[in-house]
Amino acid sequence: MSGLDGERLQGGLELRNWRPGDQYRPVGRASEEKIKILFQEARIPLWERRNWPILTIEDHIVWARRFGPAVSYAATSASRSVAKVSEERAH
């Protein structure tokens, strides 16, 4: 499942751009990673990183474009409500 567990989304969600030093643990990773490292592994060009969307609750990253939800906010088969994050490109 690739959504967010709706019950874990307590507090206000904030959509912001990636900032240097941001790190979190996406699903499938053994530990927290700097998003910069994820960019490098995925070969994301520097000019695309500037406006990379990140969803946060307080100072915790909940979701990042392409890298998905954080382990602690990810929906599971036991989740009663699931929030899907999608992005529409401007034409």
Side-chain angles (χ1 to χ4, degrees):
M1 202 168 256
S2 62
L4 299 168
D5 186 318
E7 294 178 345
R8 295 181 187 174
L9 301 177
Q10 302 299 317
L13 280 172
E14 178 185 0
L15 177 64
R16 65 169 175 82
N17 292 332
W18 166 79
R19 298 177 188 150
D22 277 348
Q23 60 183 16
Y24 83 124
R25 182 178 168 202
V27 172
R29 293 284 178 148
S31 61
E32 282 200 350
E33 294 281 351
K34 286 192 173 186
I35 293 179
K36 178 182 178 179
I37 300 300
L38 299 174
F39 284 151
Q40 291 170 347
E41 290 175 358
R43 299 185 190 276
I44 306 295
L46 289 172
W47 60 89
E48 287 186 25
R49 299 176 190 184
R50 241 179 310 229
N51 298 313
W52 202 263
I54 302 287
L55 273 178
T56 64
I57 294 177
E58 296 176 5
D59 290 331
H60 303 284
I61 294 176
V62 171
W63 173 91
R65 173 199 277 163
R66 190 162 173 184
F67 310 124
V71 167
S72 56
Y73 293 95
T76 67
S77 58
S79 298
R80 295 190 302 175
S81 66
V82 176
K84 292 282 190 176
V85 179
S86 63
E87 182 179 4
E88 292 184 18
R89 299 269 184 193
H91 292 38

